[in-house]
């Protein structure tokens, strides 16, 4: 992703997913693309930003905690979570935060 997410006025929520990958792809790239497409179709989804070097960070934005919970339980996403634990990630952390302020310029 090469764009900054266009989010609404706060408050809203951010899910911050930080990860360290394993060496092999094993279908990761295709699944990551599918999860990006699928997340964008979910009710309450507001946007996403992602960057990967040695450490990967993906931040998705949601209008409510309920929307985040629905996304966490979505069937295809649950399968991606399972594969992430078994094949793609050496380590990861998920953090959920309420966004109180949002400011910047451009885009």
């Amino acid at each position: 992703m090469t764009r900054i997410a266009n989010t609404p006025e706060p408050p809203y929520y951010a899910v911050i997913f930080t990860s360290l990958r394993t060496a092999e792809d094993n279908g990761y790239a295709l699944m990551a693309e599918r999860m990006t497409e699928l997340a964008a179709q979910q009710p309450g989804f507001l946007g996403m930003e992602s960057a990967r070097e040695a450490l990967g960070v993906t931040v998705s934005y949601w209008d409510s905690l309920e929307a985040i919970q629905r996304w966490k339980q979505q069937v295809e996403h649950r399968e991606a979570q399972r594969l992430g634990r078994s094949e793609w990630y050496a380590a990861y952390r998920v953090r959920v935060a309420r966004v109180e302020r949002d400011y910047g310029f451009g885009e």
Side-chain angles (χ1 to χ4, degrees), residues 71-105:
W71 171 237
K72 183 177 180 185
Q73 297 303 319
Q74 200 281 341
V75 173
E76 284 184 72
H77 185 217
R78 289 190 55 85
E79 177 62 7
Q81 292 169 50
R82 184 189 70 73
L83 289 167
R85 287 187 297 275
S86 67
E87 298 198 25
W88 297 323
Y89 299 117
Y92 71 87
R93 179 75 71 193
V94 177
R95 297 170 176 98
V96 178
R98 181 179 155 117
V99 176
E100 298 289 340
R101 283 187 299 242
D102 176 339
Y103 56 91
F105 74 95

Side-chain angles (χ1 to χ4, degrees), residues 5 9 11 16 20 23 26 36 40 42 48 51 54 58-59 63 69 72 76 85 88-90 92-93 95 99:
E9 288 294 315
I16 305 144
L20 296 172
N26 295 331
T36 298
Q42 302 308 301
M48 184 181 292
T58 298
V59 182
D63 67 4
Q69 186 62 32
K72 183 177 180 185
E76 284 184 72
R85 287 187 297 275
W88 297 323
Y89 299 117
Y92 71 87
R93 179 75 71 193
R95 297 170 176 98
V99 176

Side-chain angles (χ1 to χ4, degrees), residues 40-57:
Q41 298 170 12
Q42 302 308 301
F45 177 82
L46 301 174
M48 184 181 292
E49 300 159 343
S50 187
R52 175 159 294 284
E53 292 292 330
L55 179 73
V57 179

